Amino acid sequence: MAGYLTTHVLDTAQGCPAAGLRISLYRLDGGRVLLREVVTNADGRTDGPILPVAEFSPGVYELVFHAGAYLGAGDRAFLDEIPIRFGMSDPAAHYHVPLLLSPYGYSTYRGS
């Protein structure tokens, strides 16, 4: 089995998946390189792995969740961009980085 990366965003204030939230994925390897941008679907997930098996390699990555646009608060948003920096070392593992989001706070963890 080869490694890959997924995410899931839940809007805890509304009690539903966060549909339409833009996410950027960067690799940090001597610089910050944008790998892709995706938007969550109606289930708060991306339509496929955000980093698929064919492109996976161990390293340090950063997911940037564009929460301000999703929350719709414009310039008055408490949360705007939420960067989550993490390492992936096992080339055969599934890494899952969910985000639990509300207008004034968030949490994340390594999911399954």
Side-chain angles (χ1 to χ4, degrees), residues 42-110:
D43 193 34
R45 300 176 185 273
T46 58
D47 289 332
I50 196 164
L51 187 62
V53 170
E55 298 174 35
F56 184 91
S57 66
V60 178
Y61 292 83
E62 184 176 78
L63 285 169
V64 177
F65 296 88
H66 299 273
Y70 168 79
L71 295 168
D75 292 338
R76 297 171 295 137
F78 179 72
L79 295 173
D80 186 18
E81 293 183 350
I82 300 171
I84 303 196
R85 190 171 288 183
F86 56 96
M88 297 190 292
S89 58
D90 184 348
H94 170 200
Y95 288 86
H96 183 67
V97 181
L99 182 73
L100 304 176
L101 176 65
S102 75
Y104 299 103
Y106 65 91
S107 66
T108 190
Y109 55 94
R110 180 169 178 196

Side-chain angles (χ1 to χ4, degrees), residues 1 3 8 11 20 23 30 38 40 45 56 72 83 86 90 105:
M1 174 183 250
H8 187 195
D11 184 329
I23 304 167
V38 295
T40 56
R45 300 176 185 273
F56 184 91
F86 56 96
D90 184 348

Side-chain angles (χ1 to χ4, degrees), residues 23-44:
I23 304 167
S24 303
L25 173 65
Y26 295 88
R27 180 173 171 90
L28 290 95
D29 186 15
R32 189 173 184 243
V33 177
L34 177 65
L35 298 180
R36 72 180 27 86
E37 288 196 332
V38 295
V39 176
T40 56
N41 59 26
D43 193 34

